[in-house]
């Protein structure tokens, strides 16, 4: 009898240490979305997002009113100051609101996958309680993404300026003649360079994302400081980089198909539903990956 108990214990350990393949992760995440009850999570996230935007709109009204007064008085300097301060406040509130709603989203998905239920009040309070850490990790993610974008786009813009691939004389003539066709034709080389830079940027982000995508969920579920969550999220993503890359790639392919359907879809409603669905499947997959390594 004791031997059987030991055998079961070891079996559980082996099962816990099993690594799910990229295809399994992808298919299990898609399958989880077939349970329509799980859609309460993205729907509530949308509701909280709308409430947040309403509150942000109310906060921005004083800045708009004061700015309108300076505009009417043609007082440019105070107008610019109010506009800058207002923009900073609004952007800060958007970042905070997005972090809290995302924290609610991840916590609720995790709860539903484990318990098949969602405590909306409990989870939104949970996210509010961690808002500082969630905002900190979100800002770090944005800074890394912004730095990568800067390193790709700036050289492309520099190349366009230094090589003179935009014929200034043709552009000037097109502007004077108000010919949109001539102007677009003159700018085609620049568009090509920027399109190539965008493709490179997407490729770089695709390969970098497996090292970044666990930062936020780690901040949601761990009690450690923000920087420690970033380190742990990075190490976890790095340890199973190829598997995670494959899962993200599969979900990215489906996302691309969804975008294509949205562009040719007969109604806006279909596009919205598909967007909600693929976002839900993506979060489910990320939570599954985190829990596998927790």
């Amino acid at each position: 009898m004791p031997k059987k108990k030991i055998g079961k214990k070891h079996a559980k350990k082996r099962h816990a240490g099993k690594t799910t393949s990229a295809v399994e992760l992808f298919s299990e995440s898609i399958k989880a979305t077939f349970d329509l009850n799980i859609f309460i999570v993205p729907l509530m996230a949308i509701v909280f997002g709308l409430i947040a935007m309403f509150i942000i709109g109310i906060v921005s009204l004083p800045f708009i009113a004061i700015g309108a007064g300076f505009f009417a008085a043609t007082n440019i300097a105070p107008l610019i100051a109010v506009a800058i301060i207002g923009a900073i406040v609004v952007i800060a509130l958007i970042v905070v609101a997005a972090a809290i709603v995302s924290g609610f989203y991840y916590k609720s998905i995790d709860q539903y996958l484990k318990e098949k239920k969602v405590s909306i009040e409990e989870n939104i309070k949970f996210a509010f309680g961690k808002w500082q850490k969630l905002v900190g990790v979100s800002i770090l993610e944005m800074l890394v993404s912004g730095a990568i974008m800067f390193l790709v786009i700036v050289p492309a813009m520099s190349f366009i300026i230094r090589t003179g691939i935009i014929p200034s004389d043709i552009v000037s003539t097109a502007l004077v003649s108000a010919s949109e066709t001539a102007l677009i034709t003159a700018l085609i080389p620049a568009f090509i360079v920027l399109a190539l830079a965008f493709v490179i940027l997407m490729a770089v982000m695709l390969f970098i994302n497996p090292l970044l995508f666990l930062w936020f969920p780690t901040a949601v579920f761990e009690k450690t400081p923000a920087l420690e969550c970033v380190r742990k999220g990075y190490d976890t993503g790095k340890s199973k980089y190829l598997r995670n890359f494959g899962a993200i790639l599969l979900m990215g392919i489906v996302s691309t198909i969804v975008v294509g359907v949205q562009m040719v879809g007969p109604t806006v409603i279909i596009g919205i539903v598909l967007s909600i669905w693929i976002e839900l499947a993506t979060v489910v997959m990320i939570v599954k990956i985190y829990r596998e390594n927790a």
Side-chain angles (χ1 to χ4, degrees):
M1 290 296 291
K3 288 184 179 179
K4 289 183 179 179
K5 289 182 179 179
I6 293 172
K8 287 181 180 179
K9 187 176 180 181
H10 285 304
K12 287 181 180 180
K13 284 184 178 180
R14 284 195 299 270
H15 178 73
K18 179 184 176 183
T19 299
T20 309
S21 70
V23 175
E24 287 174 330
L25 269 172
F26 171 75
S27 60
E28 287 175 6
S29 301
I30 295 295
K31 184 179 178 181
T33 63
F34 295 162
D35 182 354
L36 296 182
N37 291 325
I38 200 174
F39 277 85
I40 186 64
V41 178
L43 291 178
M44 288 308 304
I46 291 172
V47 170
F48 287 135
L50 291 174
I51 293 172
M53 294 309 296
F54 177 75
I55 294 172
I56 292 170
I58 292 176
V59 172
S60 66
L61 287 178
F63 295 100
I64 295 173
I66 295 171
F70 285 128
F71 180 78
T74 63
N75 203 339
I76 303 301
L79 173 62
I80 294 174
V82 169
I84 292 173
I85 294 172
I88 292 173
V89 171
V90 169
I91 291 172
L93 290 175
I94 289 174
V95 172
V96 172
I100 292 173
V101 173
S102 296
F104 163 80
Y105 202 135
Y106 278 90
K107 182 68 169 63
S108 298
I109 290 297
D110 181 62
Q111 184 182 46
Y112 191 85
L113 292 176
K114 291 190 295 187
E115 305 174 15
K116 295 299 178 182
K117 66 177 184 178
V118 175
S119 176
I120 294 172
E121 182 180 357
E122 174 189 327
N123 293 341
I124 194 64
K125 285 182 179 178
F126 173 88
F128 266 106
K130 287 196 167 189
W131 76 269
Q132 290 175 310
K133 183 166 71 170
L134 298 181
V135 169
V137 173
S138 297
I139 291 174
L140 288 173
E141 286 183 341
M142 287 188 287
L143 288 175
V144 171
S145 299
I148 294 171
M149 185 180 298
F150 180 85
L151 292 174
V152 175
I153 298 300
V154 169
M157 295 297 295
S158 177
F159 175 81
I160 291 173
I161 295 171
R162 285 188 294 104
T163 56
I165 62 174
I166 301 178
S168 56
D169 54 338
I170 297 178
V171 172
S172 300
T173 303
L175 290 173
V176 171
S177 63
S179 173
E180 293 182 2
T181 303
L183 181 60
I184 292 173
T185 302
L187 294 176
I188 284 177
F191 290 151
I192 293 174
V193 173
L194 291 176
L196 290 174
F198 180 77
V199 170
I200 294 172
L201 176 62
M202 291 300 99
V204 171
M205 291 305 302
L206 178 63
F207 285 99
I208 293 293
N209 199 32
L211 303 175
L212 306 180
F213 79 115
L214 289 177
W215 291 13
F216 191 83
T218 303
V220 172
F221 299 116
E222 298 282 341
K223 294 182 179 180
T224 53
L227 290 177
E228 180 63 21
C229 291
V230 168
R231 185 198 63 78
K232 185 173 181 180
Y234 172 85
D235 290 341
T236 303
K238 183 181 177 182
S239 65
K240 297 178 182 177
Y241 176 87
L242 291 177
R243 192 284 306 271
N244 294 340
F245 175 81
I248 292 172
L249 180 62
L250 288 171
M251 196 64 74
I253 292 171
V254 175
S255 298
T256 303
I257 294 172
V258 167
V259 171
V261 172
Q262 286 179 295
M263 294 176 66
V264 300
T267 64
V268 176
I269 300 298
I270 293 177
I272 294 173
V273 171
L274 288 174
S275 296
I276 293 173
W277 169 69
I278 196 62
E279 176 70 17
L280 174 62
T282 301
V283 174
V284 168
M285 186 180 74
I286 293 173
V287 171
K288 282 179 173 291
I289 291 173
Y290 170 82
R291 283 303 176 194
E292 181 183 85
N293 297 277

